[in-house]
Amino acid sequence: SESEAIQKRLIAGSKGTEGISRGFSRLMFNGRVSSAMRLISRSQSAPLAVTPELIESLKQKHPVSAPLSRSHLVSTCPVPCFENVIFDSLDGAAITKAAKSTRGGCGPSGMSDDLWSRMLCSRAFSKEGTELSNTLARLTRRLCTEFVDPSTISSLVACRLIGLNKNPGVRPIGIGEILRCIIGRSVTQHLKQDLISAAGPLQLAAGQEGVVNLLFML
């Protein structure tokens, strides 16, 4: 077709050092810190092809876990208590809001942030999207208020391991599931004021927006 013929003749442009610098500055000044860091990462390194040598290299970077010692456990600090009722208002709308602002790479399932955002927020799936968001809200409330056997959520917390070429060397990168990010973001948004009150005196960025961008401009 005509569109296929045009696509075949398109030439992908390559960004030089100046183009990358301008793009990085533009994204930072617009507050898009994550996009700016991804631009730098793509220009300096790229994922390596999965080979037996790469797998062996990644295994060497992940030593065998040592046995747990009681001296490593913190027993003097009391466990903070909270009432489960504070999570009752975490509903499907909170999940939808978190999905709209969640960005990241695909985890082991291959489901992208755009796919999750479309399933939860698109009008094409109005009824199904609402049911899905309400179901995820119930899951989130249960994770926050009950003990859940880790073996039952192994797929949720699994990560996709890739090797990043650092010239020389390789850097292991674990990419978690987008669904896990959505759940985590909805909880942090729900507990925003509590987190600010708890971490404000100790954490400069608590409750502030675009702190990295502000530091960059300074």
Side-chain angles (χ1 to χ4, degrees):
S1 65
E2 181 179 354
S3 59
E4 292 177 347
I6 295 175
Q7 289 290 335
K8 291 180 180 180
R9 292 181 176 273
L10 291 178
I11 300 177
S14 59
K15 293 185 177 180
T17 304
E18 293 184 2
I20 294 174
S21 300
R22 287 197 301 269
F24 179 79
S25 299
R26 174 175 53 81
L27 292 171
M28 288 296 294
F29 280 115
N30 290 334
R32 301 172 60 185
V33 180
S34 299
S35 298
M37 298 308 298
R38 284 197 297 269
L39 176 63
I40 295 296
S41 299
R42 286 198 301 266
S43 63
Q44 294 181 349
S45 56
L48 296 170
V50 179
T51 61
E53 292 77 13
L54 175 62
I55 295 176
E56 184 62 29
S57 176
L58 293 175
K59 287 182 178 179
Q60 293 176 2
K61 294 179 179 294
H62 194 283
V64 179
S65 59
L68 180 64
S69 172
R70 288 189 174 273
S71 61
H72 299 158
L73 302 177
V74 178
S75 57
T76 57
C77 298
V79 178
C81 298
F82 61 90
E83 297 296 334
N84 295 346
V85 69
I86 65 176
F87 294 102
D88 287 350
S89 57
L90 199 160
D91 53 9
I95 297 294
T96 302
K97 179 181 178 182
K100 291 180 179 179
S101 56
T102 299
R103 295 291 179 268
C106 302
S109 68
M111 299 181 68
S112 65
D113 50 3
D114 290 332
L115 179 58
W116 274 109
S117 180
R118 184 167 185 269
M119 289 192 303
L120 293 169
C121 310
S122 175
R123 293 182 179 179
F125 308 105
S126 57
K127 179 181 177 181
E128 293 81 1
T130 301
E131 293 177 352
L132 177 59
S133 60
N134 291 335
T135 301
L136 294 179
R138 289 194 295 270
L139 170 63
T140 303
R141 291 195 297 269
R142 182 180 179 188
L143 291 174
C144 292
T145 58
E146 301 178 17
F147 171 77
V148 179
D149 187 352
S151 63
T152 62
I153 56 173
S154 58
S155 298
L156 177 65
V157 299
C159 292
R160 178 168 62 94
L161 181 63
I162 63 173
L164 207 60
N165 185 11
K166 300 307 295 181
N167 294 320
V170 57
R171 176 184 297 174
I173 301 292
I175 304 177
E177 289 287 359
I178 294 296
L179 176 57
R180 182 183 177 185
C181 298
I182 294 174
I183 292 175
R185 184 180 292 271
S186 66
V187 173
T188 54
Q189 289 177 347
H190 186 72
L191 300 177
K192 181 177 181 180
Q193 296 303 323
D194 299 277
L195 295 175
I196 293 174
S197 300
L202 304 176
Q203 175 58 259
L204 175 64
Q208 306 297 325
E209 295 184 1
V211 175
V212 177
N213 184 28
L214 295 176
L215 293 177
F216 175 79
M217 295 176 67
L218 292 175

